[in-house]
Amino acid sequence: RGVGATPFLSFLSAACNAANIRNNAIFPGLKKAVFFWVSRDPQDFIFVNKYNDIIRRNPALATCIEIKLCLTKTLESTATEDVTKEAIALFWLGVQSALRKPKENKEVADMLGVPTQFGRPNWDQEFAFISKEWQKLETSDDRFEISVFACGNPMLTESLEKACAVNTDTNVMMRL
């Protein structure tokens, strides 16, 4: 059995505490970190939002740490006395649609807190976007390195390893 998300949660906690205690000082050398929480449990919205709120309120953290929640479980669409299952399904479809354009749907995004997508991430696309955005931050002409850390099942790590290979080129080295 693995250690789960504990090392990553420890990093988030340490970064949030360091920013509060040391007057916005984060880990030396940290340029950017994106924390993807791939989960089947909608309760993770609540748990991860604790860190997201701290990051959002602290400019030093907000520029270098980002959290994304990927909800992989089908959401409950069981009818109740007050709401039909069709209405619940339409609600979740609306939320999912709104989250695809968070700037245009700021109220929905703010209510949910953590940027959320429904379904597994397309790692090739995610890494291509991260690589492109982070290269803008890099000031030297050296090959830019992006490290990917993961804990999860072999299927996840295999897909991450492939995405790292696809997104490695003469300008960027991605490694798992």
Side-chain angles (χ1 to χ4, degrees):
R1 244 174 114 91
V3 294
T6 302
F8 303 106
L9 293 174
S10 178
F11 165 80
L12 281 174
S13 179
C16 291
N17 289 336
N20 288 331
I21 293 168
R22 295 186 199 118
N23 204 15
N24 292 340
I26 318 265
F27 296 109
L30 175 67
K31 293 181 183 177
K32 185 92 172 152
V34 180
F35 180 84
F36 285 89
W37 184 303
V38 181
S39 175
R40 296 178 48 80
D41 188 356
Q43 291 298 317
D44 287 337
F45 279 107
I46 297 163
F47 181 73
V48 176
N49 265 328
K50 174 181 106 175
Y51 293 108
N52 196 59
D53 288 342
I54 294 168
I55 291 166
R56 198 172 23 192
R57 287 191 310 261
N58 187 310
L61 286 171
T63 59
C64 68
I65 298 177
E66 183 180 346
I67 301 174
K68 293 184 177 187
L69 181 64
C70 305
L71 192 60
T72 60
K73 181 179 180 181
T74 303
L75 295 169
E76 188 64 43
S77 60
T78 305
T80 66
E81 189 175 303
D82 299 322
V83 183
T84 66
K85 70 178 181 176
E86 291 81 7
I88 294 170
L90 282 173
F91 167 77
W92 283 116
L93 181 61
V95 168
Q96 182 177 5
S97 180
L99 289 173
R100 288 191 181 123
K101 297 182 179 179
K103 290 180 182 172
E104 291 87 350
N105 300 290
K106 188 164 173 29
E107 287 181 20
V108 174
D110 285 348
M111 281 191 295
L112 288 174
V114 175
T116 305
Q117 77 176 47
F118 295 87
R120 287 182 171 77
N122 179 325
W123 294 117
D124 288 346
Q125 287 178 356
E126 294 289 349
F127 289 179
F129 178 78
I130 289 169
S131 175
K132 180 181 169 191
E133 290 300 306
W134 291 7
Q135 283 184 66
K136 294 176 188 175
L137 302 173
E138 186 59 33
T139 56
S140 77
D141 291 331
D142 295 336
R143 191 176 195 198
F144 189 67
E145 291 190 23
I146 298 175
S147 297
V148 177
F149 301 90
C151 40
N153 65 41
M155 189 170 73
L156 170 67
T157 55
E158 184 178 305
S159 64
L160 291 171
E161 196 168 46
K162 286 178 184 175
C164 285
V166 166
N167 286 284
T168 292
D169 59 28
T170 56
N171 298 321
V172 177
M173 168 61 171
M174 292 193 82
R175 63 186 164 162
L176 180 63

